[in-house]
Amino acid sequence: MQLPATRIEVMKFIGQKIDSVFYEFLKPIEDLWQPSDFLPDSANENFLSDVKLLQEAARELPYDYIAVLVGDTITEEALPTYESWLMTVEGVNQQDPQQGWTKWIRAWTAEENRHGDLLNKYLYLSGRVNMRAMEVSTQYLIADGFDIETGTDPYRNFVYTSFQELATNISHRRTATLAKQYGNTLLSKMCGVIAADEMRHAKAYKAFVERIFEVDSSEMMLAFEDMMRKKIVMPAHFLRETGVKIGETFSHYSDAAQRIGVYTTYDYIEIMDSLLKEWKIDKVSGLNEAGEKARDYLMALPTRLKRVAERTKVPNLDYNFSWISAY
Ligand SMILES: [Fe+2]
Ligand SMILES: [Fe+2]
């Protein structure tokens, strides 16, 4: 993809002011929660009885819920894919560790790394999961990478990350709410704190796009349109298990998420709608003809997607994930 030269200048311009984003949307490491704040302490003499309590509570979690939690965990664990991809974005220079963008990506990765770590340890202790099968899926997913069709374009990338952080905020928030309904306060808290991180990250990425709209509106509009035409695929869309074709496990995971209402087609539309409002798409000025057309497409999209969603049925298929232990 040939990108206009102005992309680099815009990235440089925003990159210079990125420090304010740091203070606004990231937290100092020492003030942040760590996975061990929520999990039984193996150096404590009560460790085994604490694990027993954790396992008793985990027994109440329904099959689809566990499947979704495993899928969420694997998605978070594929963080190496996401960091290495962000480092290739036009305008990001990994060779310059002092560059604002490099610092941002590293700090974001460092925060995100806690998500998979916490969920993985919880699942390991829960007694509900075939850890080996889950670990094989994680290794496959990292090895397979992803294809999110952003290229190295920062504009497309920031549309993607804005969307994705909002999607993960919704799904972790819902698993938190459901855990509470199943009487699992600990798990509810864990998913809740992860969801809160995702929201801070979403705000940062949305702020980047907002700034780009201020300086390069037509190109930003075209990038937004292009990403929505292609549809935002989930970062784990290549998810598989041993003996299962690439991407097929992802469909089953995504169906389970729809069935229990953790992440649905309507959430996708809602995110789209919220981004239109957030970036005040209807009021963006100074657009060229192509930019105006892109805006028309975007403004009409939620209604169109709603019509499609009404016709789509979620399969009620019984699928046995290799990740879940029979007990
Ligand atoms: Fe995350
Ligand atoms: Fe995230």
Side-chain angles (χ1 to χ4, degrees), residues 49-308:
S49 54
D50 287 348
V51 170
K52 216 170 155 223
L53 287 175
L54 185 150
Q55 295 203 342
E56 271 163 26
R59 231 168 263 157
E60 305 301 317
L61 304 169
Y63 190 91
D64 272 347
Y65 184 89
I66 293 281
V68 168
L69 209 56
V70 173
D72 290 354
T73 306
I74 299 172
T75 308
E76 294 284 351
E77 294 271 56
L79 189 60
T81 304
Y82 319 141
E83 187 188 23
S84 54
W85 148 71
L86 283 169
M87 283 296 187
T88 67
V89 167
E90 205 80 45
V92 175
N93 178 12
Q94 194 174 184
Q95 301 309 316
D96 176 4
Q98 289 317 311
Q99 193 210 30
W101 289 115
T102 310
K103 282 204 276 183
W104 162 261
I105 292 168
R106 291 199 170 131
W108 171 84
T109 305
E111 282 203 357
E112 284 285 340
N113 188 55
R114 292 145 52 251
H115 301 169
D117 189 2
L118 174 58
L119 291 171
N120 186 312
K121 282 177 179 140
Y122 176 84
L123 290 173
Y124 168 64
L125 293 174
S126 75
R128 293 290 307 274
V129 173
N130 176 336
M131 287 306 290
R132 191 172 204 286
M134 176 178 147
E135 287 156 358
V136 166
S137 283
T138 305
Q139 187 169 353
Y140 267 126
L141 186 61
I142 296 173
D144 290 334
F146 61 6
D147 182 14
I148 52 173
E149 297 195 75
T150 55
T152 57
D153 178 16
Y155 296 10
R156 285 174 174 79
N157 273 286
F158 293 152
V159 168
Y160 184 84
T161 46
S162 297
F163 200 103
Q164 262 318 311
E165 297 285 3
L166 288 172
T168 47
N169 167 264
I170 290 175
S171 58
H172 290 305
R173 199 153 28 94
R174 298 260 169 77
T175 50
T177 307
L178 287 172
K180 206 169 183 185
Q181 285 169 18
Y182 307 139
N184 198 322
T185 327
L186 173 73
L187 183 57
S188 176
K189 252 191 231 158
M190 285 173 30
C191 297
V193 289
I194 296 174
D197 278 5
E198 308 292 14
M199 187 43 99
R200 281 191 293 105
H201 297 164
K203 283 182 181 161
Y205 287 115
K206 285 192 287 184
F208 299 154
V209 172
E210 205 178 303
R211 285 175 200 189
I212 299 172
F213 265 121
E214 283 163 18
V215 291
D216 197 7
S217 57
S218 293
E219 281 295 315
M220 189 59 240
M221 194 65 82
L222 288 168
F224 188 16
E225 180 211 13
D226 183 53
M227 286 312 294
M228 296 320 297
R229 276 190 193 274
K230 288 170 176 165
K231 292 191 190 78
I232 305 282
V233 296
M234 296 296 137
H237 65 136
F238 285 162
L239 191 61
R240 55 162 132 173
E241 298 154 270
T242 301
V244 179
K245 265 210 282 203
I246 191 163
E248 243 171 48
T249 303
F250 177 78
S251 305
H252 293 303
Y253 154 60
S254 152
D255 289 346
Q258 294 249 17
R259 279 196 294 269
I260 59 171
V262 161
Y263 186 76
T264 69
T265 320
Y266 289 98
D267 293 317
Y268 184 98
I269 302 167
E270 201 130 300
I271 293 172
M272 173 66 205
D273 227 0
S274 77
L275 290 176
L276 290 176
K277 290 191 182 104
E278 176 85 29
W279 293 327
K280 301 184 185 71
I281 294 300
D282 58 335
K283 295 197 178 68
V284 173
S285 56
L287 293 176
N288 60 23
E289 210 185 314
E292 288 289 357
K293 271 193 187 148
R295 169 176 25 215
D296 292 345
Y297 172 82
L298 289 164
M299 292 302 292
L301 190 57
T303 314
R304 259 196 25 220
L305 290 176
K306 264 177 224 158
R307 277 203 297 268
V308 179

